[in-house]
């Protein structure tokens, strides 16, 4: 089975339904994983996506979080986990007919101050990552793909300035270390960087920048990983930078990879 997969923090699936439809119509991924849907499942525009040939597997909540998997190939709901016992809609999984499991994650952003003693949100982020690590260590994933807004740019060339962002949430050494532990625990391979090993690479540009394109102060917060047993099948990774300039854009853009399994 050959398929193309994309992941995108959409920052409200109802507000940005039109650009989701644009992506599905123009780029036609077989699977699109969305994060930060900010909607209960019953209010997500499932009928509009169905009209384009995509089924919906999702977990949602009003105004916050929310993850969804849109698929035009057969997929079944493979459940979810409630990390940190908060009841947040931050994970959902789907299983394809060939036995591949797709995990879609929305890791907490972590607030503005990288100190769990004064910032509860940062502590939540670290605890969430620790639970991910422990889960993958206890139940070693196989034949799996993990995608999502992991809210960490791990490499020096995943940010516009490594030196200037070392104390900025999303690129601090403790976050990078926690993400590395998650990756190692599940024997995950970063498919994007396996396909594009060199150079600056971003998937997020702040709304605060008046001219995001010219300033180009981006970060690679959105990821596609695969377990080592299928990682060699991943290819053709790319980031759809131009989506940041679409009408009413998300501050994130879609990240793509294809797999031959």
């Amino acid at each position: 089975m050959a398929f193309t997969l994309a992941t995108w923090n959409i920052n409200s699936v109802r507000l940005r339904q039109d650009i989701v439809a644009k992506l599905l119509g123009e780029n036609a991924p077989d699977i699109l994983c969305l994060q930060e849907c900010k909607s209960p499942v019953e209010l997500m525009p499932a009928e509009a996506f169905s009209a384009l040939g995509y089924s919906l597997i999702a977990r949602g909540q009003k105004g916050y979080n929310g993850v969804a998997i849109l698929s035009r190939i057969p997929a079944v709901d493979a459940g979810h986990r409630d990390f940190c016992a908060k009841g947040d809609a931050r994970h959902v999984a789907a299983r394809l007919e060939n036995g591949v499991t797709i995990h879609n994650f929305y890791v907490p952003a972590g607030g503005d101050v990288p100190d769990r003693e004064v910032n509860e949100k940062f502590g939540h982020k670290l605890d969430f990552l620790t639970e991910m690590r422990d889960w993958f260590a206890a139940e070693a994933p196989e034949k799996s793909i993990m995608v999502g807004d992991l809210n960490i740019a791990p490499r020096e060339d995943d940010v516009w300035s490594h030196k200037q962002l070392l104390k900025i949430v999303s690129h601090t050494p403790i976050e990078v270390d926690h993400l590395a532990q998650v990756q190692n625990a599940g024997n995950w391979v970063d498919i994007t960087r396996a396909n594009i090993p060199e150079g600056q690479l971003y998937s997020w540009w702040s709304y605060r920048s008046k001219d995001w394109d010219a300033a180009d102060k981006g970060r690679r917060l959105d990821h596609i990983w695969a377990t080592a047993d299928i990682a060699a099948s991943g290819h053709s990774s790319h980031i759809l930078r131009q989506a940041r300039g679409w009408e009413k854009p998300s501050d994130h853009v879609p990240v793509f990879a294809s797999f031959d399994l």
Side-chain angles (χ1 to χ4, degrees):
M1 177 191 289
F3 60 91
T4 297
L5 176 150
T7 181
W8 193 8
N9 177 318
I10 194 58
N11 191 16
S12 178
V13 68
R14 286 187 286 168
L15 182 63
R16 296 186 169 83
Q17 174 183 338
D18 288 349
I19 60 172
V20 174
K22 176 182 173 70
L23 184 84
L24 296 178
E26 295 181 359
N27 300 89
D30 297 295
I31 301 165
L32 173 61
C33 295
L34 300 173
Q35 304 86 37
E36 206 172 354
C37 294
K38 296 183 176 179
S39 173
V41 174
E42 63 271 18
L43 295 181
M44 293 182 187
E47 291 185 4
F49 300 144
S50 178
L52 294 170
Y54 291 81
S55 62
L56 174 71
I57 297 169
R59 300 293 185 272
Q61 61 189 103
K62 185 179 179 180
Y64 296 94
N65 308 318
V67 284
I69 300 174
L70 305 177
S71 182
R72 65 175 186 176
I73 58 178
V76 297
D77 193 321
H80 70 279
R81 287 179 72 95
D82 177 16
F83 290 86
C84 301
K86 286 184 174 288
D88 293 341
R90 291 185 176 274
H91 171 250
V92 67
R95 189 164 293 111
L96 307 182
E97 286 187 324
N98 62 359
V100 170
T101 300
I102 310 291
H103 291 280
N104 181 15
F105 276 94
Y106 177 42
V107 171
D112 295 326
V113 181
D115 183 346
R116 69 177 305 145
E117 299 304 319
V118 298
N119 177 14
E120 181 180 340
K121 291 181 178 179
F122 194 71
H124 177 208
K125 183 176 192 174
L126 298 182
D127 291 344
F128 192 102
L129 292 163
T130 297
E131 285 195 20
M132 289 176 68
R133 178 201 68 192
D134 292 348
W135 178 31
F136 295 138
E139 303 176 30
E142 297 179 345
K143 206 173 182 182
S144 297
I145 299 169
M146 189 179 90
V147 309
D149 178 4
L150 305 186
N151 262 312
I152 297 172
R155 293 178 26 156
E156 292 188 15
D157 51 2
D158 288 338
V159 295
W160 65 274
S161 172
H162 168 63
K163 184 177 180 180
Q164 290 179 255
L165 269 67
L166 276 172
K167 295 183 179 180
I168 301 298
V169 173
S170 77
H171 191 60
T172 65
I174 190 171
E175 292 170 272
V176 171
D177 178 65
H178 274 62
L179 188 64
Q181 290 182 41
V182 173
Q183 186 173 1
N184 292 337
N187 202 17
W188 297 103
V189 174
D190 181 345
I191 296 299
T192 308
R193 279 305 192 181
N195 292 171
I196 312 171
E198 303 296 335
Q200 305 291 123
L201 203 58
Y202 314 138
S203 64
W204 173 90
W205 293 262
S206 175
Y207 285 133
R208 297 175 185 174
S209 178
K210 291 182 180 180
D211 188 341
W212 69 272
D213 194 23
D216 203 23
K217 293 184 176 180
R219 307 176 202 174
R220 186 173 72 103
L221 304 179
D222 305 273
H223 300 263
I224 297 176
W225 294 358
T227 46
D229 55 347
I230 62 170
S233 70
H235 62 91
S236 304
S237 292
H238 63 281
I239 295 178
L240 195 68
R241 179 188 174 102
Q242 60 264 38
R244 182 63 178 81
W246 289 355
E247 187 175 355
K248 293 183 180 178
S250 170
D251 46 358
H252 295 252
V253 297
V255 179
F256 285 80
S258 295
F259 293 86
D260 295 328
L261 289 165

